[in-house]
Amino acid sequence: MAGDTERIEQEIAQAREDLAKTLDSLAERANPQRLAGDVKKKVMATLSTPAVKYTLAGVGTVVVVVIVRKIVK
């Protein structure tokens, strides 16, 4: 009977430790600063691709030309 009690106590202690690790992992994943950093990295990587870079430059040029034309008229 004492052996069963010790075994159960060890299982409970292991379950608590596993739960604590799981909660720590979830807290790290849900950290707003980490999430914002991940989003920032993905956006910067996307903006760094040549297709996006040149498209934005082209759109910017068209916008500037349109604004200058409206001002000059």
Side-chain angles (χ1 to χ4, degrees), residues 11-65:
E11 289 175 1
I12 290 171
Q14 183 62 46
R16 282 185 182 147
E17 187 175 319
D18 292 345
L19 180 59
K21 287 178 184 177
T22 301
L23 289 174
D24 288 344
S25 175
L26 289 172
E28 178 61 29
R29 284 186 189 172
N31 182 335
Q33 290 176 337
R34 191 192 66 75
L35 292 172
D38 289 348
V39 169
K40 182 180 175 183
K41 285 180 189 176
K42 287 179 184 178
V43 167
M44 294 307 291
T46 301
L47 291 176
S48 298
T49 61
V52 173
K53 240 194 273 190
Y54 297 133
T55 301
L56 289 176
V59 169
T61 302
V62 169
V63 168
V64 168
V65 168

